[in-house]
Amino acid sequence: MMSVAVHVSIFLLFCSFSNGMRPHQEEDEEQKVQISVHKSGHFQKQGHHQQQHQHHHHHRPDSLMSVSEDHHVKSTGDPPPPPAERVDIGDLECGKAAFAPSGHCPESCPYAAEMATDYCHFMCVKEDGCGTGGSNPNETLADEEIGACRLCEVEACDVCDAGQGTLSGGKEHCGQCMFGYYYVESLNECRGRFNWIFIAIGVSAIPLIIFGKCWFYNLYKKPIVNEEGVNYALQCRQRAMVLQGAHAPAPNEPWPFDTNLMKENVAGSGTVALFRFQGAVIIWAVVLLIVWCSLVLATDRDLFMLGLWDVKTPMDLCYRIRNGRELQVKFLWVKVSWLVFAYVFSTIGAIAYGVWMAGYFKRCDSAEAEFSDFVAVIKGVPEMSGDGNVEEILKDAVKDALDKKAKEAAKEVVAVSVGWDFHKDAKMVKYFLEEEVHGSLDGCNTHSTEHVSNGSLLVNVMAKEAKQAQSEDQSEVGFFDKVTNAFLARKVNDADMVEFKADDLKKALNEMKTAPTSYVIFETEASRDKALKAAAEDGGILINGVMCELRKETFEPESLLWHNLQVTASERMGHQSKGWLLMIITCVVWTVALYLPYAYYVSSYSYIHGDEPPHYAEYIFVGLVVGAQVLLFIAAGKASHNCHFHYEEETQEMYIVYYNAALVLNLVMDIVLQTILSYEQMVGIGARVADGRLLQDVWLQAGLQQTLESYPIQKAVGKLIFKYSFPCTFLLPFAAEPFLGQLGPLWIGMMMVGRSAKIKGENAEKCLELSEMEQGRYADCLFNLVLVCCVPFVAPGYLAKILVVFIISHLYIYWYDHWKTLRYCRKFFFVSWAPHYLGQQLFSIPVAMLLVALVFKGNQWSAVESAHLGGGRLQGKFLAIACIGAFVGHLVVHLLLLKYVVYPRHLEENTDTHDKPYSKVSEVEPASFLTTNPVQCLRSKYKFQHQPPLSICVLGKEHTMKPNPALGAFYDGAKQKAKKDGTYSRKDEKSEQKQDEKKGGDEK
């Protein structure tokens, strides 16, 4: 299915461009022409003062720019229809007007003047005829370059003084600059007082770029002296990758790159769901593009260009707009039909997809045994001190509670993994865990005996090396070498240079208090289910006089955040509120502090006759949009992390909500700000609508509806949405991600390790560690869908364009996530249904926007017979109520369908239980609810002094783990490593089989 989508999207891309999809720069050319008639974008206030100064005689056919091929304002009378054939302006007599003539004026009267009262009519005049003879009295300057009469225009001018005649240095003079600008008389222009901010930002980047290049060159020119360290670190990277499991064709080897991640379960069912969600989004866009292209090709191909005409002169634009109106009236049913299909297809498809995926998660749960199948969560555990044997106390309490109604389940309690409140001692716990792992490398690191003999020194070795480097001869260690050493010291210095003693840890373990949550492990899934049933009948299990809840576990141990188990639901709500406050403040500060100054800066240009912002303004816009997304990404990550959820999947869910909400809020603020500025500028310049009314009068007389449907506003919003979408949102952040997140750190790390003989073993490994995989991609996909569903409100020409770039961008994003999962991220295991279900719930937002667009366009269609596209049966507040009702109504219906159709299928009783016991699963899977519990592992060694103690599971160091069945630990790292290396003999395998048979006979 995915390959079909790729080929279809490429074909549609070719067809779309061959049928009129032109490059973006051609649209810019059109935009310039539109502005010369009066652009629908940013205008200066100078026109408003000039209007007052010249008694408001500003009747301009630039009102044409208020007419949209897709959106028209209801008028009191229809504009005259365009002639069947256009007249060449060169064939007209001087002083005779015609509707939207083509060509250029003759030499005897070389300037085209717009008529003051006749809609979209032009006549040819001499230079002294500008502003006379019925032409627009405000257009008194004869511009030889464009061959037309025009207004006085000085960049960022508030009050512009103009003379009459041909344009020369003395004909335009600014009497008063806009706020924030000052007048330079010698250049006859207004300069921004705050331009230094943009200059400072650009200049400040230069030293950083130079420093980075010099540092890189200094590192690059050094000889390679530590190839051994690089090879060791690369081997450790491979062990930490997503590798094939014990039942795969090539156990413990990387997956082939052509693995289908929508089908193959390489890292849990949640990973398959993530890639299927991305694939479904791409197929959704492909289907909508196919239907839209089919409708357009079956009716009129000019619909591909509605709103995107490539015109060369103001007269061409007049003709195109009038023609476009006729086309829009005739084929509005096409867009309404497409919206009907898009809405129905999206709604039914979303529910069908949800049912399909719910069945998939259910099948995965019954297909293979996982640790969560053997575990029940104990909620409401009373607080106990660590000086006693809490593990045995809880285990006995669970057995006693189950002994009456579920004796078999009570007998099969393997162990209890206790949750502890150790957030105050987190650094100490981390320190001793690293000592435990690195001190038992068992000769794996042949490069440094110091690391093997004394693991506690590991975390401080690089810091000592950095200090040593600083004390060496300055002729040997330069400035850039010190920078590199300091960076390396920080890279590996996880314990902040604090050394702890074993007595400190023992004291902390005895004083530590239990968290309200713990986990009881059963030998079989059947016994776990019996225990849950018995506990439900008794209302819970009694522990130290407190009734505790026993519930089913749905998460795997890899996602459990043990350091957050002490946080209660009420405390988390407070953290979530602080997170929302952080996101809102971030959006407001970014918009007010950065986007508002940029918008004000670009609005100072008149956009007439080449008076436009410089090219770097486009790069500033791209930087602002991408920068906003990066900032919101960081803020959402910090806010979700500070919520202190118990599971990583819950953290990712909260991140998706925070990030999506902030992006949508930021988008709305940007669009509203841009719309207000555009409206103010167009009012100042005197823009008009199709029937000749001023845009300001439309707002005062007809209200918000017709103002928003006018072409200037529609064009400004449409262009902003497309610029915001591509490449700023759809592509650029993801195009840079592999270089900043994977390839760049790897290359730099290899250079630093290879050129420093001191970086050995685990230090080298830390310099080349892999990146983490997250489920935040749901948020990226959903926000991009929101942007796509904004386009049906504007000109149809943008629809095919945005669908094409959306498909191309998400094909790349899918490939990037595929590449990252299989080669460039640490091993992970996503099995929770929750993030995927949240993505399905949030998909209701873009679908609801399609319904609102259908109501909006359907209302316009109801006025087609009267040819008033700005009309419709619903007006003003009734249209607003209908749109809001459609949006809210769909959200309610969509969420109810998910709740009562999709979700129950996921919760259907699974009658198939696994025969494989916990001990067998634990033999081949290292990360269990015991071996991932940091405090329990340390208590096993330092408090109870078990031999061997419970081994902590660290990614890439599983071979150091030792089994202790009495503690519920069955994973033998040395044996699994021998099996991987091929050194596990046939004799050992037969002996193991005999032991299993004997054990099975004893149990029987």
Side-chain angles (χ1 to χ4, degrees):
M1 181 68 74
M2 199 63 201
S3 60
V4 173
V6 174
H7 287 91
V8 170
S9 62
I10 294 174
F11 169 76
L12 290 172
L13 175 64
F14 172 78
C15 291
S16 300
F17 278 98
S18 65
N19 282 286
M21 294 285 291
R22 55 187 173 74
H24 186 66
Q25 58 266 28
E26 293 184 0
E27 181 186 348
D28 292 339
E29 291 297 325
E30 173 198 353
Q31 200 75 339
K32 293 179 182 178
V33 176
Q34 290 176 343
I35 293 307
S36 67
V37 188
H38 273 285
K39 183 178 180 296
S40 62
H42 317 280
F43 293 88
Q44 319 178 35
K45 290 184 179 179
Q46 68 181 46
H48 179 65
H49 292 274
Q50 182 175 325
Q51 246 184 340
Q52 294 177 346
H53 182 67
Q54 298 181 355
H55 309 291
H56 297 277
H57 290 156
H58 194 163
H59 299 284
R60 293 179 53 87
D62 34 292
S63 59
L64 300 173
M65 295 314 303
S66 311
V67 186
S68 169
E69 303 92 319
D70 187 40
H71 300 279
H72 295 264
V73 181
K74 184 177 180 182
S75 57
T76 56
D78 294 336
E85 295 182 2
R86 297 180 66 186
V87 178
D88 192 301
I89 196 169
D91 296 335
L92 297 177
E93 298 178 7
C94 292
K96 185 175 181 180
F99 170 81
S102 61
H104 302 281
C105 289
E107 294 184 0
S108 57
C109 45
Y111 301 102
E114 304 175 50
M115 302 305 295
T117 56
D118 293 336
Y119 175 78
C120 206
H121 282 63
F122 297 80
M123 68 177 180
C124 295
V125 297
K126 297 180 180 180
E127 66 177 72
D128 57 355
C130 290
T132 63
S135 64
N136 193 323
N138 293 337
E139 296 181 342
T140 59
L141 291 176
D143 194 323
E144 296 178 356
E145 183 178 351
I146 64 171
C149 302
R150 69 169 179 83
L151 288 168
C152 171
E153 298 294 344
V154 177
E155 178 183 323
C157 184
D158 208 15
V159 179
C160 188
D161 300 326
Q164 189 171 21
T166 56
L167 183 63
S168 62
K171 294 299 181 181
E172 287 181 302
H173 178 77
C174 183
Q176 180 180 338
C177 293
M178 294 174 60
F179 174 77
Y181 292 83
Y182 63 94
Y183 184 61
V184 181
E185 187 171 0
S186 60
L187 299 176
N188 190 31
E189 66 179 32
C190 297
R191 292 282 183 89
R193 299 184 185 276
F194 306 104
N195 285 355
W196 64 269
I197 297 177
F198 299 102
I199 297 174
I201 293 174
V203 171
S204 62
I206 295 176
L208 296 177
I209 295 173
I210 294 175
F211 174 82
K213 288 185 175 182
C214 293
W215 174 79
F216 181 83
Y217 176 74
N218 178 75
L219 186 64
Y220 177 77
K221 71 178 182 178
K222 292 180 177 294
I224 298 176
V225 296
N226 189 17
E227 189 173 348
E228 235 180 357
V230 174
N231 292 334
Y232 174 80
L234 292 176
Q235 290 173 7
C236 293
R237 276 177 63 93
Q238 182 165 332
R239 287 200 301 268
M241 286 169 51
V242 176
L243 302 177
Q244 299 184 52
H247 305 290
N252 295 313
E253 293 294 330
W255 288 90
F257 194 72
D258 60 353
T259 302
N260 184 355
L261 297 185
M262 290 193 291
K263 181 180 180 181
E264 196 70 49
N265 190 341
V266 302
S269 54
T271 305
V272 175
L274 176 61
F275 281 94
R276 286 188 177 182
F277 187 87
Q278 293 192 56
V281 164
I282 295 172
I283 293 172
W284 173 85
V286 169
V287 171
L288 294 190
L289 182 59
I290 290 174
V291 174
W292 174 248
C293 290
S294 301
L295 287 172
V296 172
L297 293 174
T299 51
D300 193 322
R301 295 187 180 187
D302 283 345
L303 286 173
F304 282 124
M305 294 298 297
L306 264 179
L308 303 174
W309 298 111
D310 183 19
V311 295
K312 303 298 182 184
T313 67
M315 289 84 78
D316 288 340
L317 184 61
C318 286
Y319 186 79
R320 283 297 187 184
I321 288 177
R322 188 69 65 82
N323 246 10
R325 170 174 181 167
E326 181 180 329
L327 191 66
Q328 170 63 20
V329 171
K330 185 177 180 181
F331 293 113
L332 183 59
W333 67 269
V334 175
K335 195 167 191 179
V336 173
S337 301
W338 180 85
L339 281 169
V340 170
F341 172 82
Y343 173 70
V344 174
F345 168 72
S346 302
T347 303
I348 296 177
I351 302 304
Y353 171 81
V355 171
W356 177 52
M357 289 305 299
Y360 168 76
F361 274 95
K362 182 184 176 183
R363 290 191 301 273
C364 287
D365 183 56
S366 60
E368 189 173 341
E370 296 170 341
F371 280 119
S372 58
D373 296 328
F374 307 98
V375 174
V377 186
I378 311 175
K379 288 289 185 180
V381 177
E383 185 179 281
M384 289 180 276
S385 177
D387 55 357
N389 194 340
V390 179
E391 292 83 354
E392 289 300 319
I393 293 174
L394 287 179
K395 182 179 178 180
D396 293 338
V398 171
K399 285 183 175 182
D400 293 341
L402 299 176
D403 193 52
K404 295 180 181 179
K405 292 187 176 181
K407 291 185 177 181
E408 294 182 4
K411 293 178 181 179
E412 292 194 343
V413 175
V414 176
V416 173
S417 186
V418 182
W420 295 92
D421 180 3
F422 64 97
H423 70 282
K424 295 181 179 179
D425 302 307
K427 288 184 179 180
M428 183 187 299
V429 169
K430 186 175 183 180
Y431 178 90
F432 281 98
L433 286 176
E434 288 196 350
E435 180 185 69
E436 178 69 16
V437 174
H438 299 139
S440 60
L441 286 177
D442 202 18
C444 176
N445 179 8
T446 60
H447 312 297
S448 177
T449 56
E450 183 182 20
H451 292 187
V452 178
S453 61
N454 191 354
S456 63
L457 296 177
L458 172 69
V459 293
N460 298 322
V461 166
M462 282 308 303
K464 294 179 180 178
E465 291 176 357
K467 290 183 178 181
Q468 180 182 353
Q470 293 173 2
S471 64
E472 292 178 0
D473 188 354
Q474 294 300 316
S475 61
E476 297 180 5
V477 181
F479 171 74
F480 293 110
D481 297 321
K482 294 179 180 180
V483 173
T484 303
N485 289 334
F487 174 78
L488 290 171
R490 184 176 180 83
K491 180 75 174 176
V492 301
N493 187 14
D494 292 333
D496 295 335
M497 287 295 293
V498 178
E499 294 190 28
F500 299 95
K501 297 180 180 179
D503 291 339
D504 298 331
L505 177 64
K506 292 177 181 179
K507 181 181 179 181
L509 292 175
N510 286 327
E511 295 176 353
M512 208 172 283
K513 304 297 182 182
T514 57
T517 303
S518 290
Y519 301 85
V520 55
I521 303 167
F522 295 87
E523 178 63 13
T524 63
E525 183 180 5
S527 62
R528 191 277 308 266
D529 293 341
K530 291 178 182 178
L532 290 172
K533 183 178 179 181
E537 292 175 354
D538 293 339
I541 58 176
L542 194 64
I543 300 177
N544 286 1
V546 177
M547 188 62 71
C548 303
E549 180 185 1
L550 195 68
R551 64 174 68 165
K552 182 179 179 180
E553 177 59 295
T554 58
F555 296 93
E556 289 304 303
E558 291 94 336
S559 67
L560 185 52
L561 305 176
W562 294 95
H563 56 280
N564 289 339
L565 290 183
Q566 77 281 354
V567 179
T568 62
S570 58
E571 292 174 337
R572 190 177 301 112
M573 288 183 64
H575 296 316
Q576 288 175 299
S577 300
K578 293 178 182 178
W580 283 116
L581 183 61
L582 173 64
M583 300 309 299
I584 293 173
I585 292 175
T586 303
C587 287
V588 172
V589 169
W590 181 267
T591 301
V592 174
L594 292 173
Y595 190 82
L596 181 59
Y598 165 80
Y600 185 76
Y601 166 71
V602 297
S603 69
S604 68
Y605 293 85
S606 66
Y607 292 82
I608 298 179
H609 312 309
D611 181 29
E612 298 182 346
H615 291 295
Y616 64 77
E618 289 291 324
Y619 299 108
I620 294 176
F621 178 80
V622 171
L624 286 173
V625 174
V626 176
Q629 293 174 8
V630 172
L631 182 63
L632 293 176
F633 165 79
I634 296 172
K638 183 175 180 61
S640 58
H641 176 76
N642 289 340
C643 289
H644 303 296
F645 285 100
H646 292 178
Y647 301 94
E648 182 62 31
E649 279 91 340
E650 293 177 332
T651 304
Q652 293 298 318
E653 286 182 66
M654 197 68 243
Y655 164 80
I656 292 170
V657 174
Y658 276 146
Y659 189 52
N660 250 325
L663 285 174
V664 172
L665 176 61
N666 190 65
L667 173 66
V668 170
M669 293 173 66
D670 290 349
I671 289 179
V672 170
L673 176 62
Q674 189 73 53
T675 302
I676 293 174
L677 287 172
S678 299
Y679 172 80
E680 291 293 334
Q681 296 300 319
M682 285 181 283
V683 167
I685 204 67
R688 297 172 181 269
V689 296
D691 57 6
R693 288 180 296 165
L694 288 167
L695 183 61
Q696 184 178 23
D697 293 339
V698 173
W699 163 255
L700 295 175
Q701 298 171 9
L704 180 64
Q705 178 183 347
Q706 293 189 22
T707 304
L708 293 178
E709 293 180 9
S710 65
Y711 184 77
I713 303 299
Q714 288 290 312
K715 188 67 178 180
V717 174
K719 185 177 181 182
L720 175 66
I721 291 174
F722 189 82
K723 285 174 60 180
Y724 202 102
S725 302
F726 186 82
C728 300
T729 304
F730 286 0
L731 188 60
L732 278 183
F734 311 106
E737 194 171 342
F739 299 98
L740 299 178
Q742 286 81 42
L743 296 177
L746 174 61
W747 294 337
I748 296 297
M750 290 177 64
M751 290 177 63
M752 290 192 297
V753 173
R755 287 157 175 79
S756 177
K758 299 175 182 178
I759 307 178
K760 301 288 186 180
E762 306 309 313
N763 293 330
E765 178 187 353
K766 288 192 175 185
C767 292
L768 270 66
E769 61 186 357
L770 292 161
S771 59
E772 300 283 347
M773 186 65 181
E774 298 175 344
Q775 300 193 67
R777 188 65 74 222
Y778 287 109
D780 298 319
C781 293
L782 290 164
F783 181 64
N784 289 351
L785 286 170
V786 168
L787 287 171
V788 169
C789 292
C790 287
V791 172
F793 292 91
V794 296
Y798 285 108
L799 188 55
K801 285 183 67 174
I802 201 165
L803 284 172
V804 167
V805 297
F806 176 87
I807 292 168
I808 294 174
S809 299
H810 277 268
L811 285 173
Y812 163 76
I813 294 171
Y814 182 95
W815 173 87
Y816 165 66
D817 284 345
H818 178 100
W819 170 80
K820 178 182 176 181
T821 299
L822 296 181
R823 295 293 183 267
Y824 279 88
C825 71
R826 292 167 60 87
K827 182 181 179 181
F828 63 95
F829 201 71
F830 296 151
V831 296
S832 175
W833 147 272
H836 187 258
Y837 184 68
L838 176 62
Q840 295 180 57
Q841 290 176 306
L842 293 178
F843 182 70
S844 62
I845 296 175
V847 180
M849 292 175 65
L850 288 175
L851 180 59
V852 174
L854 178 59
V855 172
F856 187 75
K857 289 297 179 183
N859 183 62
Q860 289 184 336
W861 194 24
S862 68
V864 166
E865 292 182 358
S866 61
H868 299 319
L869 295 183
R873 296 181 181 179
L874 298 176
Q875 291 290 316
K877 64 180 181 180
F878 297 104
L879 178 60
I881 292 173
C883 290
I884 295 173
F887 185 83
V888 175
H890 174 81
L891 290 183
V892 172
V893 172
H894 197 127
L895 295 177
L896 288 177
L897 286 173
L898 288 174
K899 181 177 180 179
Y900 292 107
V901 177
V902 175
Y903 199 73
R905 181 170 174 78
H906 170 65
L907 295 178
E908 286 179 0
E909 186 71 21
N910 183 14
T911 57
D912 298 330
T913 58
H914 301 292
D915 295 331
K916 184 182 291 187
Y918 168 82
S919 56
K920 283 296 179 184
V921 177
S922 184
E923 283 182 0
V924 295
E925 296 294 340
S928 70
F929 282 86
L930 291 169
T931 59
T932 58
N933 187 336
V935 175
Q936 191 138 337
C937 290
L938 292 177
R939 284 170 61 86
S940 174
K941 178 178 180 179
Y942 290 94
K943 180 175 178 58
F944 303 117
Q945 298 181 352
H946 294 138
Q947 293 298 327
L950 188 62
S951 298
I952 188 71
C953 178
V954 176
L955 187 61
K957 301 295 184 296
E958 296 89 348
H959 57 281
T960 66
M961 298 176 63
K962 297 178 181 179
N964 189 336
L967 302 178
F970 299 90
Y971 186 83
D972 189 336
K975 184 172 73 174
Q976 296 300 325
K977 185 176 184 296
K979 287 183 176 181
K980 175 187 174 183
D981 298 338
T983 59
Y984 194 68
S985 65
R986 182 75 174 171
K987 182 179 179 181
D988 294 334
E989 187 175 350
K990 289 183 178 181
S991 176
E992 183 180 354
Q993 290 177 354
K994 289 181 179 180
Q995 291 177 3
D996 292 340
E997 292 174 0
K998 181 181 179 181
K999 182 179 179 182
D1002 293 341
E1003 290 176 352
K1004 185 176 180 180

